[in-house]
Amino acid sequence: MKVVLLSFYDIGRQPFGLASPAAWLQSAGAHVSCQDLAVQRLDHELIKDAALVALYLPMHTATRMAVRVIQQIRVYNPNSHICCYGLYAPLNEQYLLDLGVDSVLGGEFEEGLVNLYVSLISSEKARPTSSTSLAKQRFVRPDRTGLPALSSYAYLDTGDGVRRLVGYTEASRGCKHMCLHCPVVPVYQGSFRVVQQDVVLDDIRQQVERGAEHITFGDPDFFNGPGHALRIVESMHREFPALTYDVTIKVEHLLAHHEHLETLSRTGCIFITSAVESFDDDVLEKLGKGHTHSDFEEVLDLCRQAQIHLQPTFVAFHPWLSINDYMAFLQTIARLNLIDSVASIQYAIRLLLPAGSHLLHLAKIRRIAEPFDREKLVYPWQHPDPQVDWLQQTVLSLVTKAESLKKNRYQLFCDIWHLTKTLLDDDMARCVAAPSAVPLTPYGSVPSLSENWYC
């Protein structure tokens, strides 16, 4: 029986969320075809005779893109069983079912996809399924043979003009923390699941054979299970000593496990992405981040001592922000010599309120949240100060134009700085030095991926 797996957007990475279920389904006897619509055009011929079409929805953008394709699938193959799986599938379950999706799988989805396939074999029309499984799975090596080459995806810019092919894998899913704005929380509810070490290493091995010179670990937090993570990178480094990698780790975990930063550096970790979100302690407390601004500065120093670049991400615009706060945000980035370490889009990120967001537990958020917008898949909200929303839209426009004009991060930062300064009152504006007057000490060449982190 023919199965088609579709991916839409996964931050410029070759999707683990296609390769892993492809291997599971092939082991069950399925004839599997994969398409990554981030780099390929939809092959309608593949869809026409597929009994099962499964759409991978790991993030908000991917889910919105999938909506249009669901309608196309129904046109080209009215009899196919359509399944949506991945983190954002259960968050938008009712909307997807209303669109004509037959089944929705969340959490650890591989076993659920196999069970769905088996039911389709035994019955001409499988019963619709909606489930989120957090059961532990024994993973198998992902099958990447049907995916586009690694050269089709984001590359690593080492910071000194060298480009490296990037592979992608996952050592764990879920997260044991409960940050209120995080989309992982409504699905995993404070739990996480590991991918067995031999499977992770096997996946890395096959990508190195295909040319990977750098590996991105896509775990929501690489230090949810530090022992598991460190065993993997130690083994990887012994086998591939020239291979570099990057990971995502919370500030809280970097502080608690700072003694392991030397191990990460020694085994080839060149940068760590960390969801810092804000420099304001009150906002950090509201988001349930588990760290303070001073914690972040301490972690930044520790990473620099270990010669690992820390690349922070932010929710730059949120309901508690003022224009003065945004200026203070920019000043802190300059003071900490982080201009080259912050991806341009981070200056424009606006708080998303997707279905199931735990932020809706906060009274202030409930007051400003409008009815759920099924097209945008969020609860829209307006800032109490219209100038803040105007600033966000204008910064986003500057970021978009900067990419087309090939402005570097410092040039864009200056543009945003000057724009923000025009919105300050006269007394405040006089106190703000030009960014060129802020002492900047570049911290080496900053490595980065060619695809900016987004959502």
Side-chain angles (χ1 to χ4, degrees):
M1 184 177 290
K2 187 173 178 180
V3 176
V4 175
L5 302 178
L6 300 178
S7 179
F8 300 87
Y9 177 66
D10 200 10
I11 326 180
R13 310 179 294 205
Q14 192 186 68
F16 183 90
L18 290 191
S20 178
W24 283 66
L25 287 161
Q26 286 169 352
S27 296
H31 176 69
V32 181
S33 297
C34 295
Q35 280 212 285
D36 184 358
L37 302 188
V39 295
Q40 297 174 298
R41 293 177 64 87
L42 179 63
D43 186 341
H44 298 132
E45 294 301 316
L46 279 179
I47 302 296
K48 282 183 179 178
D49 58 348
L52 171 61
V53 182
L55 289 67
Y56 176 48
L57 310 180
M59 55 204 316
H60 182 260
T61 301
T63 308
R64 292 192 65 189
M65 295 172 70
V67 168
R68 296 189 294 271
V69 175
I70 290 169
Q71 297 164 348
Q72 294 180 47
I73 295 169
R74 277 287 170 244
V75 170
Y76 284 97
N77 188 346
N79 297 318
S80 65
H81 187 103
I82 301 177
C83 173
C84 289
Y85 67 97
L87 188 65
Y88 269 75
L91 293 181
N92 297 284
E93 177 181 328
Q94 191 55 56
Y95 178 54
L96 294 170
L97 294 175
D98 290 346
L99 286 174
V101 170
D102 298 297
S103 296
V104 175
L105 300 175
E108 304 302 280
F109 49 75
E110 285 88 350
E111 188 172 3
L113 282 168
V114 169
N115 291 339
L116 179 57
Y117 168 75
V118 170
S119 69
L120 281 167
I121 292 176
S122 59
S123 171
E124 194 169 306
K125 185 73 173 176
R127 187 165 56 183
T129 300
S130 293
S131 66
T132 295
S133 172
L134 301 183
K136 295 179 180 179
Q137 299 183 142
R138 172 63 202 180
F139 284 82
V140 298
R141 185 179 86 156
D143 186 345
R144 298 181 178 273
T145 55
L147 294 174
L150 294 178
S151 57
S152 302
Y153 295 93
Y155 59 84
L156 174 74
D157 183 341
T158 61
D160 52 10
V162 176
R163 294 183 178 184
R164 294 181 182 173
L165 279 183
V166 177
Y168 172 79
T169 195
E170 297 175 4
S172 66
R173 289 189 187 137
C175 185
K176 63 184 181 183
H177 294 274
M178 299 287 284
C179 303
L180 293 186
H181 64 301
C182 178
V184 175
V185 172
V187 176
Y188 279 87
Q189 297 292 336
S191 63
F192 76 101
R193 295 289 178 260
V194 302
V195 181
Q196 290 77 21
Q197 178 179 331
D198 61 318
V199 175
V200 179
L201 292 173
D202 230 5
D203 191 26
I204 292 169
R205 195 172 293 118
Q206 68 174 331
Q207 293 181 80
V208 171
E209 290 172 357
R210 289 167 170 78
E213 303 163 286
H214 177 90
I215 297 293
T216 291
F217 286 94
D219 310 42
D221 194 299
F222 199 59
F223 272 4
N224 269 320
H228 173 64
L230 293 170
R231 285 190 293 271
I232 286 172
V233 296
E234 288 277 21
S235 297
M236 180 181 74
H237 183 64
R238 281 194 297 271
E239 188 169 354
F240 305 110
L243 193 64
T244 58
Y245 66 93
D246 68 273
V247 296
T248 297
I249 305 176
K250 281 171 63 70
V251 171
E252 182 180 359
H253 282 170
L254 289 170
L255 197 57
H257 305 294
H258 63 88
E259 70 275 13
H260 297 313
L261 287 172
E262 185 279 329
T263 301
L264 294 182
S265 178
R266 175 176 52 79
T267 56
C269 181
I270 56 174
F271 71 87
I272 296 171
T273 301
S274 192
V276 177
E277 314 302 26
S278 175
F279 295 133
D280 186 312
D281 283 345
D282 288 339
V283 174
L284 291 170
E285 184 176 359
K286 288 178 173 70
L287 297 178
K289 283 301 299 178
H291 73 263
T292 64
H293 174 70
S294 63
D295 290 338
F296 168 71
E297 292 209 21
E298 183 175 354
V299 161
L300 180 61
D301 287 340
L302 289 167
C303 286
R304 286 175 171 172
Q305 290 169 28
Q307 296 187 318
I308 300 175
H309 293 276
L310 187 63
Q311 300 198 358
T313 63
F314 299 98
V315 179
F317 289 88
H318 49 75
W320 305 283
L321 184 80
S322 68
I323 300 293
N324 287 355
D325 292 335
Y326 191 75
M327 189 75 245
F329 164 68
L330 298 177
Q331 289 176 304
T332 302
I333 287 173
R335 177 176 63 82
L336 296 176
N337 303 325
L338 285 170
I339 294 173
D340 285 338
S341 298
V342 177
S344 301
I345 190 62
Q346 294 302 318
Y347 296 111
I349 294 289
R350 191 174 190 271
L351 180 69
L352 282 181
L353 296 176
S357 173
H358 280 213
L359 278 174
L360 294 168
H361 297 164
L362 301 182
K364 180 178 179 66
I365 299 297
R366 288 198 302 272
R367 284 196 299 271
I368 65 171
E370 299 172 13
F372 190 74
D373 185 326
R374 301 185 91 190
E375 181 182 343
K376 295 181 179 178
L377 301 180
V378 294
Y379 291 93
W381 61 273
Q382 302 297 318
H383 195 281
D385 180 356
Q387 272 200 317
V388 173
D389 283 339
W390 179 87
L391 177 61
Q392 189 271 332
Q393 288 297 312
T394 309
V395 169
L396 181 59
S397 178
L398 287 176
V399 170
T400 303
K401 289 178 182 176
E403 291 183 0
S404 63
L405 296 174
K406 300 191 182 306
K407 287 190 175 184
N408 63 37
R409 290 180 175 183
Y410 182 75
Q411 290 171 323
L412 173 65
F413 182 85
C414 290
D415 290 345
I416 296 172
W417 180 289
H418 291 306
L419 169 69
T420 306
K421 188 174 179 180
T422 65
L423 300 179
L424 301 175
D425 61 56
D426 291 341
D427 289 340
M428 179 69 179
R430 279 192 289 269
C431 297
V432 175
S436 58
V438 177
L440 297 173
T441 306
Y443 175 61
S445 299
V446 178
S448 62
L449 297 174
S450 59
E451 179 82 10
N452 286 329
W453 182 91
Y454 203 53
C455 59

